[in-house]
Amino acid sequence: MSWVIRDATVDDVPSIMQVEHEAFGVDAWSAETIAADIARPTTKYFAVEAEGVVRGYAGVSALSGGEADILTIAVSAALRGQGVGRALLRRLIGEARENSARLIFLEVREDNRAAISLYQSEGFEFIGRRPAYYNDGMTALTMRRSLVDPVVAVGPVGAEALHAGRAAEGSALEGQVVTGQASVVAEPAPLVIGIETSCDETGVGIVRGTRLLANVIASSMDEHARFGGVVPEVAARAHLEALAPTLRQAVAEAGVRLSDVDAVAVTAGPGLAGALMVGVGAAKGLALALDKPLYGVNHLVGHVGADVLDRGAVVAPTVALLVSGGHTSLLLVRDLVDDVELLGETIDDAAGEAFDKVARLLGLPYPGGPHIQRAAESGNPKAVRFPRGLSLPKDMAAHRYDFSFSGVKTAVARYVESIRDSGAQVSTADTAASFQEAVVDVLLTKALAACADLGVPRLLLGGGVVANGALRAAAELRCAAQGVELRIPPLSLCTDNGAMIAALGAQLILAGKAPSTLSFGADSTLPATTAMVA
Amino acid sequence: MILAVDSSSGTSVALVGAARVVAEASSDDTIGHTEVVGTLIAQVLHEAQASPGDVTLVASGIGPGPFTGLRVGMAAARAYAVALGVPEVGVLSHDAAALEWLEHHYARARTGLAQLDPSVTIATDARRKQLFVSQYFGLDDNWLPVRTQGPSIVSAADAPAEGWIRPERISAGFLGLIAARRRNMGVPQTEAVPQYLRDPDVTPSAGPKRVTS
């Protein structure tokens, strides 16, 4: 049967689904998933057509950061044994190269020997294991190939049984097993474990270069609820308790051995001193036991660094707005590891803290952010015009990029008290919506002013308050209107986490930075200009 | 080899073999635990000419002691144990101080330099004009100190003018010896749970205060 590989379109989805079900059984993707993936601008799908029928398909996502992922390769039984799988794989690799990818990754079932052999013969090497990755509990092996160095592919075209990303029926995968070793000479991306304990989340993350392998977070948030805010001693005690289980879980999820780690990174500051010390102490113990270098890194720069896990690099220059319960900072990032400037920060409460305090005023639980957002959904954001801190002309002269949320919190309190004193009912929804509007407005007004003033067409958001839907929605609208590219890493990388610390550590290593000395301490006020401590 | 770490007052780190201290290094700074803990561990490894993986058991000083510093040593010890996949056990820091004093005292009594009096009270700074206090009565057959009371918190004003032992430092060497003797003799080890003896200094909020009069 003769066959041809062509670009796949959404119109191919019905016939692709037949191949999909045949190849992957219970692990088959839905038609919606495949259609959405084909339509996505960052992916490229190919279809194999034989005698007018689609008999196979494959897809790759080529990110701008120099890394590509093979999403799937499936070939129907009718076309096996004809080298279709290898041909598809090579098309995907070619596509990745054209998109300037330097590395290409895939995952494959550990029991799929035929596919593994094919990948090895095409120059892929093992970089990790992910236990219980597939629906039936099977382990996935992660493989990688450099696209920069010359790779000598050996072995005949002719193997089948390919599919990365997920499972296929073992029986459907019998093909010619190709043996042979490829010679891949690539600088391996550093495997870094990151520890974050600056506030109430114990985070341990593991990355390989810009690739996220594990991101485990234990939060003591519930223990703080009855106090209405994070209690440093409660947080620090919780860090010590969570340390060992969080470490072990991260290692298990990453499918690596701790002895394979190339370096340890830890948040040295800023943050709560007693909480930071648990992480720094632990990181030193870990680094010494593993006999590996240690990097004490900046928490705020870590938030910016989270973006490398999402798109392979932090595109600079960018303005970064970091908003959490502990920070409200506006940074100008010209270079992640070498040139971060603090444009402004809150002079009193952090934005997240204001959410907590206003939630209490309104009788809403801790943490305030999600409850305010929910209450605000049915409220009128224009009901009350709450003040925008440090936005008056005189403030803009002295505090152009600084924030203040103490005033808006007091204004809400005054408003609520005046309504209640008059015997009327306070509209929780309107008050929440109006307060949220004021906070979101001032955050974005100042961030976008910085973009405009500095001629920087990019804004990156980070910090737990990014979970607020109103902030994200307004950011999208206002950035689009101003022609500013908006970056919001996945929420799990926006809230405090160890993966961003590991990612920053990896960037520091790749930039050739020497590790920190063993004698650094926790620095609760570490300035954002210091990406790592000496 | 046992790695012993204590940061309940200053910071002390030791490597302990089957029955003796192989290397010990300490800092008496009562606030700089985070800064010194790493270099002290590196120092004892170097002095003992040991590699990090030679450690088969980690002993953490679990206090009592000021919380912030106490946790630093425990965190370093715990992560070290997790990294190597070896157990971490706890040793009450006062036990180490009691063992050190009692061994010294027994030696003096044997040589006739002192009258044998196995009663000893160990008191360490709990800050806020309070002391952490534990009482002991001699050593048992395994040469482990016998704690008869404590640890507890008392007002510094209630301390007798003399009689209580106020150790200048907790020795990780003696801490490690306790873990070694327990292991050698099959005496159950203690869990590495910090002995804070005080709740976090915080009370639940009574609700928002009025801002308008």
Side-chain angles (χ1 to χ4, degrees):
Chain A
M1 205 186 308
S2 70
W3 47 271
V4 60
I5 295 178
R6 60 165 173 81
D7 291 359
T9 70
V10 174
D11 296 336
D12 293 319
V13 170
S15 33
I16 282 175
M17 285 310 292
Q18 299 203 356
V19 180
E20 179 72 10
H21 283 298
E22 182 192 335
F24 296 112
V26 293
D27 278 309
W29 284 344
S30 70
E32 291 74 27
T33 301
I34 293 175
D37 224 33
I38 290 176
R40 197 162 291 145
T42 54
T43 63
K44 177 76 183 179
Y45 273 81
F46 297 98
V48 183
E49 202 174 301
E51 295 169 355
V53 181
V54 171
R55 301 282 191 185
Y57 87 111
V60 62
S61 82
L63 303 171
S64 56
E67 296 192 358
D69 276 287
I70 290 181
L71 301 167
T72 186
I73 302 177
V75 180
S76 90
L79 266 190
R80 287 197 187 119
Q82 299 185 40
V84 177
R86 187 179 299 273
L88 277 170
L89 178 59
R90 289 182 174 174
R91 283 296 282 268
L92 298 182
I93 290 169
E95 183 67 23
R97 265 190 217 281
E98 278 179 28
N99 281 277
S100 308
R102 286 173 286 111
L103 292 168
I104 187 163
F105 296 86
L106 60 79
E107 276 124 21
V108 60
R109 287 176 66 99
E110 193 172 31
D111 61 354
N112 191 347
R113 305 257 325 262
I116 291 168
S117 296
L118 170 66
Y119 297 142
Q120 285 182 318
S121 73
E122 290 289 328
F124 284 82
E125 57 182 3
F126 297 112
I127 56 167
R129 297 177 83 246
R130 316 184 84 174
Y133 184 80
Y134 294 105
N135 287 341
D136 63 353
M138 177 53 62
T139 295
L141 300 176
T142 315
M143 302 183 79
R144 180 190 61 190
R145 179 188 148 165
S146 168
L147 298 176
V148 180
D149 300 280
V151 172
V152 183
V154 293
V157 170
E160 271 13 36
L162 344 152
H163 51 4
R166 61 238 161 79
E169 300 288 357
S171 59
L173 299 173
E174 285 170 21
Q176 186 178 344
V177 175
V178 183
T179 55
Q181 284 295 316
S183 62
V184 179
V185 190
E187 183 71 22
L191 183 66
V192 182
I193 185 164
I195 299 176
E196 151 66 34
T197 63
S198 69
C199 191
D200 62 341
E201 333 249 25
T202 313
V204 178
I206 300 177
V207 307
R208 192 182 291 278
T210 60
R211 194 172 174 79
L212 177 65
L213 300 181
N215 184 19
V216 178
I217 293 163
S219 176
S220 59
M221 185 197 288
D222 294 347
E223 296 175 52
H224 304 286
R226 67 196 178 106
F227 304 116
V230 174
V231 181
E233 176 62 20
V234 172
R237 290 184 182 193
H239 285 312
L240 183 61
E241 283 179 32
L243 177 65
T246 311
L247 266 174
R248 290 197 188 99
Q249 193 185 335
V251 171
E253 285 189 11
V256 297
R257 283 176 309 189
L258 266 175
S259 53
D260 293 335
V261 161
D262 293 311
V264 178
V266 63
T267 303
L272 303 171
L276 288 166
M277 287 181 200
V278 176
V280 174
K284 288 184 177 180
L286 197 59
L288 282 159
L290 299 172
D291 204 8
K292 291 293 157 57
L294 174 63
Y295 289 79
V297 310
N298 187 298
H299 175 82
L300 294 174
V301 181
H303 272 300
V304 180
D307 206 29
V308 307
L309 298 174
D310 200 28
R311 66 167 174 184
V314 172
V315 180
T318 184
V319 169
L321 172 65
L322 308 179
V323 203
S324 70
H327 307 281
T328 307
S329 307
L330 203 51
L331 309 178
L332 171 60
V333 182
R334 292 193 198 86
D335 182 289
L336 180 67
V337 299
D338 273 323
D339 191 354
V340 177
E341 182 185 332
L342 179 71
L343 297 172
E345 61 189 336
T346 182
I347 60 167
D348 42 55
D349 292 350
E353 208 177 343
F355 271 91
D356 292 337
K357 289 177 175 173
V358 166
R360 277 176 64 200
L361 283 170
L362 296 174
L364 298 171
Y366 174 87
H371 296 284
I372 296 264
Q373 180 183 334
R374 206 165 303 130
E377 277 162 12
S378 55
N380 174 11
K382 310 283 183 217
V384 193
R385 165 107 193 156
F386 289 121
R388 274 64 167 161
L390 299 181
S391 291
L392 297 173
K394 67 178 168 67
D395 296 323
M396 287 301 273
H399 293 287
R400 186 167 183 79
Y401 304 127
D402 288 329
F403 301 93
S404 166
F405 296 101
S406 176
V408 65
K409 172 202 70 188
T410 306
V412 174
R414 284 173 184 278
Y415 169 76
V416 167
E417 284 168 21
S418 70
I419 302 280
R420 284 181 185 152
D421 288 351
S422 72
Q425 280 276 338
V426 174
S427 162
T428 301
D430 285 351
T431 311
S434 299
F435 161 75
Q436 181 175 271
E437 172 87 356
V439 172
V440 166
D441 181 32
V442 75
L443 286 172
L444 293 174
T445 299
K446 293 203 169 217
L448 286 169
C451 290
D453 297 348
L454 303 165
V456 173
R458 280 172 218 97
L459 176 62
L460 179 120
L461 300 188
V465 176
V466 174
N468 185 280
L471 173 61
R472 290 202 308 273
E476 275 168 26
L477 280 176
R478 292 178 62 171
C479 284
Q482 196 174 310
V484 168
E485 183 195 358
L486 177 67
R487 291 293 309 160
I488 308 180
L491 197 55
S492 60
L493 295 174
C494 281
T495 51
D496 289 350
N497 67 86
M500 69 184 194
I501 300 304
L504 176 55
Q507 292 298 306
L508 288 162
I509 294 166
L510 291 169
K513 302 289 176 189
S516 304
T517 60
L518 259 185
S519 56
F520 72 87
D523 183 347
S524 60
T525 60
L526 186 67
T529 43
T530 307
M532 67 169 284
V533 299
Chain B
M1 211 147 12
I2 295 175
L3 172 70
V5 181
D6 187 279
S7 59
S8 64
S9 57
T11 311
S12 181
V13 176
L15 281 173
V16 176
R20 67 180 189 90
V21 178
V22 178
E24 179 164 0
S26 301
S27 157
D28 292 340
D29 182 357
T30 54
I31 51 172
H33 309 91
T34 316
E35 287 80 353
V36 300
V37 70
T39 36
L40 293 176
I41 295 175
Q43 195 178 328
V44 295
L45 286 169
H46 179 75
E47 277 176 24
Q49 299 190 330
S51 37
D54 292 342
V55 171
T56 54
L57 179 71
V58 174
S60 277
I62 58 174
F67 318 147
T68 306
L70 175 65
R71 275 189 294 264
V72 172
M74 291 193 69
R78 185 159 299 176
Y80 197 104
V82 171
L84 295 182
V86 302
E88 179 207 11
V89 298
V91 175
L92 196 77
S93 303
H94 280 187
D95 285 3
L99 177 64
E100 181 172 9
W101 190 87
L102 285 164
E103 285 204 352
H104 185 65
H105 178 71
Y106 275 36
R108 282 169 58 87
R110 269 199 308 275
T111 51
L113 290 171
Q115 190 87 35
L116 183 67
D117 176 6
S119 300
V120 59
T121 299
I122 302 293
T124 54
D125 184 17
R127 302 196 177 157
R128 300 183 206 173
K129 296 178 181 169
Q130 291 182 313
L131 294 170
F132 294 120
V133 177
S134 305
Q135 292 178 24
Y136 295 83
F137 190 86
L139 300 173
D140 66 13
D141 294 344
N142 296 318
W143 276 63
L144 290 165
V146 179
R147 183 158 20 96
T148 53
Q149 223 175 74
S152 58
I153 293 192
V154 302
S155 164
D158 294 340
E162 52 187 75
W164 287 7
I165 302 302
R166 303 280 303 268
E168 280 174 18
R169 71 165 63 123
I170 302 293
S171 155
F174 282 92
L175 194 94
L177 280 177
I178 291 175
R181 287 177 190 170
R182 284 179 178 155
R183 185 184 59 182
N184 297 346
M185 301 302 177
V187 177
Q189 300 276 7
T190 311
E191 255 189 277
V193 176
Q195 299 301 298
Y196 294 124
L197 306 190
R198 249 189 216 139
D199 286 332
D201 196 11
V202 62
T203 45
S205 156
K209 291 195 197 88
R210 277 189 72 90
V211 295
T212 47
S213 51

